[in-house]
Every structure is written in structure tokens, then in C-alpha cells.
Amino acid sequence: MICRGFFILGSPGETTETMQKTIDFPLKTKVDFAHFNITTPYPGTPLWDLGIKEGKLESEDAENAGAIANVLANKKVVGSDLTQETIKEYWKKAHIKFYLRPWFIYNILKRIENPHHFKRVLEAGLGFLFES
């Protein structure tokens, strides 16, 4: 059975210390895959309303809400004093710490079924490491 963990960085009240704890948690639990996401305010949610109240979002931002590229490009973090750059740095760090561990690499390699599967795994890994 494969166990996947889903984790969110950059929630209201988040600090660099709490983000580090979030990054460290899946390393201790032996989940097979960790999915790290960045808190995203969506129109009609309390987080969106907080962003409007704080002056960090405008109602016309609604048409671009949710796309990860827009979340990463937005410099305004709702409900937090952190910068988006700091959150993005921890997001990248989370992936590198989790996916470049010998334990993870070993487990991925032993699951590879054929050369095509190996190529897909390699392309995915290299694509992430060398993007932005």
C-alpha cells in the first residue's frame, strides 16, 4: 500500500519555524509521497475575505485565483507577515529534503517496472530540480 501525505505551507499565522516543522513531519512518518502545497485564497472563502480586509487582494483578483503560477507570483500573503518568496523557498526546500533522501530514491528505484517508467521518473525528478 502506498501512503501519500498532503501538507500546506503559508497558512495564516504561519512562521518559518512552523513551516520547518511541516517539512520535518513527513520525514519522520515514512510516507511514500509528500505533496506540499501553498495556501491559496479562493473567492467566497473566509481566507479570501481576510485578504480583501487586509488589502492584500482585490475583487478583480478572483479571475486568476488558484493557479499555482499566480499564487507563487503574488507577493502578498494573506494572514501572515511572511513574504511569498520565503514561502516559495520553504516549498522548494520541502521537496528537495523529501525527494532527495536515499530512502526515497531507493524505494522509487525498486518500484520501477520497465525502461519507460524509469525515463518518466527521471524526467519528473530532473524537471522539478531544474525548474525556476
Side-chain angles (χ1 to χ4, degrees):
M1 181 184 321
I2 293 176
C3 179
R4 297 177 187 273
F6 294 84
F7 306 93
I8 299 174
L9 301 170
S11 294
E14 187 93 75
T15 65
T16 55
E17 291 81 17
T18 58
M19 285 194 296
Q20 187 60 54
K21 286 180 181 179
T22 300
I23 292 168
D24 292 341
F25 182 74
L27 301 175
K28 297 173 189 169
T29 61
K30 299 270 191 201
V31 296
D32 296 299
F33 295 95
H35 302 275
F36 297 95
N37 296 292
I38 295 175
T39 300
T40 305
Y42 286 96
T45 64
L47 188 58
W48 183 268
D49 296 340
L50 178 62
I52 299 285
K53 183 178 176 182
E54 290 179 344
K56 294 180 178 178
L57 294 173
E58 298 176 11
S59 58
E60 53 269 7
D61 290 340
E63 94 183 34
N64 294 319
I68 191 68
N70 292 324
V71 173
L72 293 175
N74 187 352
K75 302 289 184 218
K76 302 171 253 178
V77 179
V78 175
S80 176
D81 294 329
L82 294 172
T83 66
Q84 194 64 19
E85 300 196 329
T86 299
I87 295 170
K88 185 177 180 182
E89 175 186 319
Y90 275 77
W91 179 76
K92 186 98 173 176
K93 178 181 176 182
H95 286 90
I96 289 169
K97 279 190 82 170
F98 187 85
Y99 288 106
L100 290 184
R101 294 174 302 139
W103 179 86
F104 177 80
I105 293 169
Y106 169 76
N107 281 310
I108 286 296
L109 290 176
K110 76 179 189 183
R111 289 183 182 151
I112 290 177
E113 300 165 356
N114 56 53
H116 177 70
H117 187 201
F118 177 76
K119 181 181 177 209
R120 284 189 5 237
V121 168
L122 186 63
E123 286 172 348
L126 292 175
F128 179 79
L129 286 175
F130 294 109
E131 93 179 7
S132 63

